[in-house]
C-alpha cells in the first residue's frame, strides 16, 4: 500500500503540526519455510526460514487449519537464529508450521506449510528383577532428545514428574 512518513512538531503552544511528509510504498516481503514434511513423535523440527525477522516474529506449530496466532503448540523466535528448532507435539497427526510476522497492527500468518507427525516405536529392555541397591541397566530404543528420559515408578503410576529414579536418554 501507499503511506506517508511524517515529522510532527508537538512542542508548540497551539497544537501539533506536520512539518514534513515523504511518500512510502510498502511491498510484500519474501517468506518461506523449509523442513522435512514428515517426522516422528519425539523428533526436533529444524525449520530453515526466510522472512522479515522483525523483533517478535516467530515460527510456530499448530493443529492443521488452526488460524489464530496466540495458542500455538510450540514456537521459536526468528531472532534466535536460523534454522529455528521447535519441539514437536507429543501426539501423532497433521499439523501446520507457520511464519508469524509481528507488526504494529498485530500478528499475521505469512506462510503455512503442512507437517505430518508419525507415531514412533519405543522399546525398553532390562532384567525382570534386580536386587535392592543395585544399578539397573536399561537399554532403550526411541527418539533421542536431551530432554527425554527413562524413569522408574510404582506400577500403574501415571504422573511424569515425581518418579523414584530417572536417567536422561542423552547426555547433551
Amino acid at each position: 500500500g501507499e503511506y506517508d512518513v511524517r515529522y510532527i512538531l508537538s512542542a508548540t503552544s497551539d497544537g501539533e503540526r506536520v512539518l514534513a511528509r515523504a511518500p512510502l510504498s510498502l511491498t510484500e516481503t519474501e517468506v518461506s519455510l523449509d523442513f522435512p514434511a514428515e517426522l516422528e513423535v519425539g523428533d526436533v523440527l529444524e525449520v530453515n526460514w526466510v522472512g522479515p525477522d522483525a523483533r517478535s516474529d516467530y515460527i510456530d506449530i499448530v493443529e492443521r487449519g488452526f488460524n489464530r496466532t496466540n495458542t500455538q503448540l510450540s514456537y521459536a523466535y526468528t531472532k534466535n537464529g536460523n534454522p529455528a528448532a521447535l519441539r514437536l507435539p507429543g501426539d501423532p497427526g497433521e499439523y501446520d508450521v507457520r511464519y508469524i510476522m509481528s507488526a504494529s497492527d498485530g500478528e499475521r500468518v505469512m506462510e503455512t506449510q503442512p507437517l505430518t507427525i508419525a507415531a514412533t516405536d519405543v522399546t525398553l529392555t532390562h532384567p525382570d528383577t534386580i536386587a535392592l541397591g543395585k544399578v539397573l541397566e536399561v537399554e532403550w530404543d526411541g527418539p533421542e532428545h536431551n530432554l527425554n528420559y527413562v524413569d522408574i515408578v510404582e506400577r500403574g503410576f501415571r504422573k511424569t514428574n515425581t518418579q523414584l529414579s530417572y536417567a536422561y536418554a542423552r547426555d547433551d
Side-chain angles (χ1 to χ4, degrees), residues 73-90:
L73 300 168
S74 182
Y75 69 94
Y77 287 107
T78 59
K79 67 183 174 188
N80 291 338
N82 197 353
L86 290 88
R87 293 175 63 185
L88 294 181

Side-chain angles (χ1 to χ4, degrees), residues 41-91:
V41 168
D43 287 339
V44 173
L45 174 64
E46 289 199 357
V47 179
N48 290 295
W49 56 268
V50 172
D53 194 20
R55 186 176 66 186
S56 296
D57 287 3
Y58 59 93
I59 311 297
D60 72 5
I61 300 174
V62 296
E63 292 180 1
R64 177 71 42 88
F66 188 80
N67 59 12
R68 294 186 358 210
T69 59
N70 59 357
T71 50
Q72 59 277 350
L73 300 168
S74 182
Y75 69 94
Y77 287 107
T78 59
K79 67 183 174 188
N80 291 338
N82 197 353
L86 290 88
R87 293 175 63 185
L88 294 181
D91 292 322

Side-chain angles (χ1 to χ4, degrees), residues 69-142:
T69 59
N70 59 357
T71 50
Q72 59 277 350
L73 300 168
S74 182
Y75 69 94
Y77 287 107
T78 59
K79 67 183 174 188
N80 291 338
N82 197 353
L86 290 88
R87 293 175 63 185
L88 294 181
D91 292 322
E94 302 297 318
Y95 296 89
D96 286 331
V97 177
R98 310 177 307 174
Y99 187 107
I100 308 297
M101 182 182 75
S102 296
S104 61
D105 60 349
E107 294 183 334
R108 186 167 88 168
V109 178
M110 299 295 291
E111 176 73 3
T112 302
Q113 295 291 329
L115 171 67
T116 299
I117 300 176
T120 188
D121 292 323
V122 177
T123 59
L124 298 170
T125 306
H126 59 83
D128 291 338
T129 61
I130 189 168
L132 185 64
K134 296 288 185 179
V135 174
L136 177 66
E137 296 286 334
V138 177
E139 293 182 20
W140 60 273
D141 185 30

